[in-house]
Amino acid sequence: MPKKVIWGLIACGLFLLMIIGLGLTTQIHQDQTNHVVTKQKRPLIMIGGSSSSLTDFDDIIRSLNKTDRHPLIRVTITADQQLKVTETRVKNTTINDALIVIFFENSTDSNDNIKTQTTGLAKAVRYLKRHQHLTTANALGYSNGGLIWSRYLAGLSTDNPLSVHDLMVIGTPFLGTDAENPDKTLYDPLLDHKVAFKKLHAVINVAGDTGDGNDDIVPLSSVNAGGKLFMNNVTRYTAMTVNQKSISHGDLLHEAYVARLIRQNLINQ
């Protein structure tokens, strides 16, 4: 066999070995990268509304886990204000990667109970600070959950609320559910303490509208009243409306659009 052919075969063999080596190096890098599970800067704490269940946020959790797996912490606050905590851990993650669900066994719809729930939230956060080393978070409140978060962050249940960066409230009845007779019982104290919201970076206020000015339960006027609390106080305030004839208050948490909003505004920030 001519020497030129032999040297050509050797060169081709070396080239192939180099390509294979680069491929293995890339694969090893990808495998190492796969251990970096999420890029969250802070955990997300979620609170549901009246007559809620422990699984209300499961659709959102499944949607968020399609991109990155998140550790999950569920904190149940019993009717007598005791705490029950369960954890689902994910290897190589920290508290900043976590999704945290706060669930109230008593979630009846009354102003007095919302006040009690706010006290329960303060107790749950103290637990998370002590046992999970929680220092900051993003927050999501659905329906009355938005009122509970607003009261907590306004300092109405503690003088030292958790440092929350971004807050999203969905279908929150700041003025109750009767458009003709607004209920200001919980709203006026929030107005009096709205300066506390200056600590927030961003608030996203999401409403639903069937075309009749409500989401079949909460009037747009009640949701939009959140603007007076947050606008010109937080760094960025955004109001959004999901316009859909078939939308309902209970559907808001299960809309794919809302899951995308959560990922964009609370997970990636």
Side-chain angles (χ1 to χ4, degrees):
M1 185 180 292
K3 289 185 177 180
K4 287 185 179 181
V5 175
I6 294 172
W7 283 110
L9 290 171
I10 292 172
C12 288
L14 290 173
F15 180 74
L16 286 172
L17 287 173
M18 182 178 69
I19 294 297
I20 293 170
L22 286 173
L24 288 172
T25 301
T26 301
Q27 183 61 48
I28 290 170
H29 175 71
Q30 287 176 345
D31 289 343
Q32 291 174 340
T33 302
N34 286 340
H35 288 296
V36 183
V37 181
T38 76
K39 298 178 181 179
Q40 281 179 240
K41 297 178 181 177
R42 50 192 67 84
L44 170 59
I45 307 178
M46 300 177 279
I47 301 177
S50 62
S51 302
S52 60
S53 74
L54 194 58
T55 60
D56 281 354
F57 292 103
D58 280 8
D59 282 350
I60 288 171
I61 292 168
R62 277 191 289 269
S63 177
L64 296 177
N65 278 338
K66 286 180 181 178
T67 304
D68 298 300
R69 288 185 62 212
H70 299 263
L72 176 64
I73 302 172
R74 296 187 191 269
V75 182
T76 296
I77 302 168
T78 65
D80 60 354
Q81 296 287 289
Q82 300 303 306
L83 302 183
K84 298 178 182 177
V85 182
T86 62
E87 293 183 53
T88 302
R89 300 186 179 185
V90 175
K91 188 178 179 181
N92 295 323
T93 59
T94 69
I95 186 63
N96 284 344
D97 303 306
L99 303 177
I100 303 172
V101 176
I102 306 289
F103 169 67
F104 298 92
E105 280 187 350
N106 180 7
S107 58
T108 54
D109 186 13
S110 73
N111 290 336
D112 285 342
N113 193 48
I114 290 171
K115 294 176 183 178
T116 300
Q117 289 173 296
T118 309
T119 302
L121 171 59
K123 187 171 185 176
V125 170
R126 285 195 298 271
Y127 171 90
L128 292 167
K129 285 180 176 180
R130 186 179 306 117
H131 295 279
Q132 300 287 348
H133 308 295
L134 183 73
T135 58
T136 184
N138 286 336
L140 171 65
Y142 164 65
S143 194
N144 284 352
L147 283 170
I148 295 166
W149 266 124
S150 298
R151 287 179 52 78
Y152 173 81
L153 294 171
L156 296 177
S157 65
T158 175
D159 294 331
N160 185 31
L162 178 71
S163 174
V164 168
H165 191 261
D166 297 328
L167 168 68
M168 181 182 292
V169 290
I170 301 173
T172 296
F174 289 104
L175 292 175
T177 56
D178 187 342
E180 295 182 0
N181 299 287
D183 183 355
K184 295 187 177 183
T185 306
L186 300 178
Y187 187 70
D188 285 345
L190 292 175
L191 276 178
D192 293 340
H193 292 81
K194 67 179 183 178
V195 66
F197 298 134
K198 289 184 180 295
K199 296 178 182 178
L200 289 165
H201 172 260
V203 171
I204 304 96
N205 188 6
V206 181
D209 184 11
T210 63
D212 296 323
N214 58 58
D215 60 12
D216 85 17
I217 291 180
V218 180
L220 279 176
S221 57
S222 185
V223 176
N224 291 338
K228 284 187 70 173
L229 302 176
F230 303 116
M231 198 180 300
N232 301 322
N233 276 318
V234 302
T235 304
R236 176 169 58 87
Y237 174 75
T238 306
M240 300 181 178
T241 302
V242 180
N243 295 287
Q244 185 175 313
K245 188 172 181 59
S246 61
I247 196 72
S248 71
H249 186 70
D251 287 341
L252 284 171
L253 273 186
H254 307 288
E255 290 291 320
Y257 170 70
V258 171
R260 288 196 298 272
L261 285 178
I262 292 169
R263 179 180 287 106
Q264 292 165 3
N265 294 280
L266 300 180
I267 296 297
N268 296 335
Q269 298 296 323

